[in-house]
C-alpha cells in the first residue's frame, strides 16, 4: 500500500549504479529495433561513469554483458562503434566492461548459475550490472517455458539473488 511504501528502495533515475539498489530491468521490443545497441550504450555509460541518454547520471562500475546472440567478433566490432559515437575510447572504460559471448555455446539459466554465477572467479569480479542479451535464449533448460508463470518466477528468483 502507499502508506507502507512511501519511497522506493533507491532511485536509479537520478544516478544509475550509485547505491546498493538491486533491480531487474526487462527491455522488450520487436525484433531488430536496436535493443542490443541500446544495452551496449548503457553498459558503456555505466563502465565509463558517463550520463546515459544524456539524462541519467551514472557512477562508474563493473559491467558484464552475457550475449548469446552475437559472435565475439561482432561484439568486438560494435563496442568501438558505440564508443566512437559517444566521443569515448576504450581507455574510458578502465577495464570495467566484460563481454561473455555464448553464441554456439548456449546456456540455460540453471547452467549460467552453475557455470558462471556460482564460481569464485565471478564473485571476485564484483559486477554491479549484468546484462543478459537475449533473455529468451537462456530459456533452454528442461521444462523451460517463458509462458509458464511458475518457471518464470523461479528464473526471476534466481536473478534476484
Amino acid at each position: 500500500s502507499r502508506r507502507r511504501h512511501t519511497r522506493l528502495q533507491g532511485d536509479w533515475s537520478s544516478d544509475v549504479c550509485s547505491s546498493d539498489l538491486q533491480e531487474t530491468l526487462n527491455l522488450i521490443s520487436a525484433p531488430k529495433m536496436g535493443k542490443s545497441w541500446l544495452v551496449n550504450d548503457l553498459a558503456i555509460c555505466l563502465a565509463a561513469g558517463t550520463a546515459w541518454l544524456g539524462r541519467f547520471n551514472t557512477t562508474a562500475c563493473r559491467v558484464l554483458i552475457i550475449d548469446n546472440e552475437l559472435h565475439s567478433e561482432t561484439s568486438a566490432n560494435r563496442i568501438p562503434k558505440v564508443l566512437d559515437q559517444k566521443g569515448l575510447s576504450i581507455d574510458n572504460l578502465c577495464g570495467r566492461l566484460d563481454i561473455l559471448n555464448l553464441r554456439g555455446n548456449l546456456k540455460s539459466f540453471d547452467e549460467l548459475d552453475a557455470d558462471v554465477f556460482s564460481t569464485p572467479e565471478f564473485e571476485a569480479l564484483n559486477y554491479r550490472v549484468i546484462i543478459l542479451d537475449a533473455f529468451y535464449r537462456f530459456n533452454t533448460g528442461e521444462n523451460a517455458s517463458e509462458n509458464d508463470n511458475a518457471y518464470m518466477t523461479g528464473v526471476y528468483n534466481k536473478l534476484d539473488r
Side-chain angles (χ1 to χ4, degrees), residues 4 30 34 82 123 125 140:
R4 280 190 17 224
V82 177
E123 293 286 328
L125 291 169
T140 61

Side-chain angles (χ1 to χ4, degrees), residues 27-137:
L27 178 60
I28 301 167
S29 181
K32 303 298 178 198
M33 296 302 292
K35 296 179 294 291
S36 293
W37 287 96
L38 184 64
V39 297
N40 284 342
D41 186 67
L42 173 61
I44 286 168
C45 289
L46 290 168
T50 61
W52 183 48
L53 303 176
R55 179 175 177 186
F56 302 107
N57 294 327
T58 67
T59 299
C61 62
R62 288 195 59 83
V63 180
L64 172 64
I65 299 173
I66 303 177
D67 194 311
N68 56 21
E69 287 192 317
L70 301 180
H71 294 284
S72 57
E73 298 86 358
T74 306
S75 294
N77 179 271
R78 283 188 178 192
I79 295 299
K81 287 181 179 180
V82 177
L83 285 165
D84 185 56
Q85 287 297 309
K86 301 188 81 50
L88 299 172
S89 75
I90 198 75
D91 294 335
N92 294 110
L93 304 180
C94 300
R96 289 186 290 258
L97 176 61
D98 294 319
I99 302 173
L100 175 61
N101 292 92
L102 297 177
R103 174 83 184 244
N105 186 26
L106 293 182
K107 294 189 181 296
S108 68
F109 285 110
D110 289 335
E111 291 168 326
L112 269 182
D113 190 29
D115 298 346
V116 178
F117 300 147
S118 296
T119 65
E121 297 84 7
F122 176 82
E123 293 286 328
L125 291 169
N126 196 29
Y127 291 108
R128 293 293 310 270
V129 175
I130 301 168
I131 296 170
L132 304 175
D133 188 10
F135 190 84
Y136 78 96
R137 292 194 70 176

